[in-house]
Amino acid sequence: MHNEELLATAAELRRSSTRLSRRLRAERHGDGVGALGFSLLGRLYRHGPMTAGELAESERLQPQSLTRTLATLEEKRLVTRSRASGDRRRHQITLTEEGADVLMRYAQESDAWLAQRMARELTPTERGLLRLAAGLLDRLVSGDGEGREADGPS
């Protein structure tokens, strides 16, 4: 593929993935967790307890940018904070059972909505292509670390 074709394909993929992400967010019930909140819950689900600094680094944000979101998650009892055993100045943030339940419910609702749309709009061959494309997208985002994942469990 020539450079112009590659750039055009990249632009189409970016636009499509952005629209899909927005649509999935729109389908989510008014839970007050937000996209960043779900991303943090998903990261804690996959990687276990982390400090605010580690979470911020994984999201490519400054720790101060997480303050409000973490406070909301803690207020909703979706995460807990406790002193880190090795450094009493740092807090470990842990996903609660309720937080895991909220994350699972969101993932199940999103998956069900998307599966329903795929069944209605796409042929079996097209659905197979999307399955292949999903694996390719995972390869693209995992090449630079982990990428930002807001959907929760895999």
Side-chain angles (χ1 to χ4, degrees):
M1 204 179 270
H2 295 357
N3 195 35
E4 286 180 21
E5 286 179 279
L6 200 54
L7 286 172
T9 301
E12 285 181 52
L13 181 58
R14 176 186 45 77
R15 285 191 296 269
S16 295
S17 61
T18 299
R19 288 182 65 214
L20 176 60
S21 180
R22 284 185 187 140
R23 184 59 192 265
L24 289 172
R25 277 196 306 269
E27 294 296 322
R28 184 172 54 223
H29 302 298
D31 47 37
V33 174
L36 179 56
F38 276 109
S39 184
L40 297 176
L41 293 177
R43 194 159 304 277
L44 291 169
Y45 177 84
R46 287 184 303 281
H47 300 288
M50 300 173 80
T51 65
E54 292 167 338
L55 281 168
E57 184 178 328
S58 69
E59 293 291 324
R60 296 187 172 115
L61 296 170
Q62 294 298 315
Q64 307 88 294
S65 303
L66 300 183
T67 303
R68 184 176 296 170
T69 301
L70 287 173
T72 298
L73 295 176
E74 190 172 21
E75 180 181 300
K76 292 178 178 293
R77 293 185 170 93
L78 304 179
V79 300
T80 58
R81 295 183 207 220
S82 59
R83 297 276 181 202
S85 57
D87 183 349
R88 303 298 294 167
R89 295 170 296 173
R90 296 172 43 176
H91 288 93
Q92 285 287 110
I93 299 160
T94 304
L95 183 67
T96 64
E97 189 173 321
E98 188 174 345
D101 290 345
V102 166
L103 184 64
M104 291 299 166
R105 194 168 44 253
Y106 165 67
Q108 290 168 350
E109 289 172 0
S110 296
D111 293 349
W113 176 85
L114 191 52
Q116 182 181 46
R117 292 291 301 201
M118 289 167 53
R120 187 175 36 203
E121 302 290 333
L122 304 176
T123 67
T125 300
E126 290 169 328
R127 292 191 299 264
L129 286 172
L130 275 185
R131 187 178 186 107
L132 289 171
L136 296 173
L137 290 171
D138 279 343
R139 277 183 36 205
L140 286 176
V141 298
S142 66
D144 68 343
E146 189 177 353
R148 187 171 169 185
E149 302 168 34
D151 61 348
S154 300

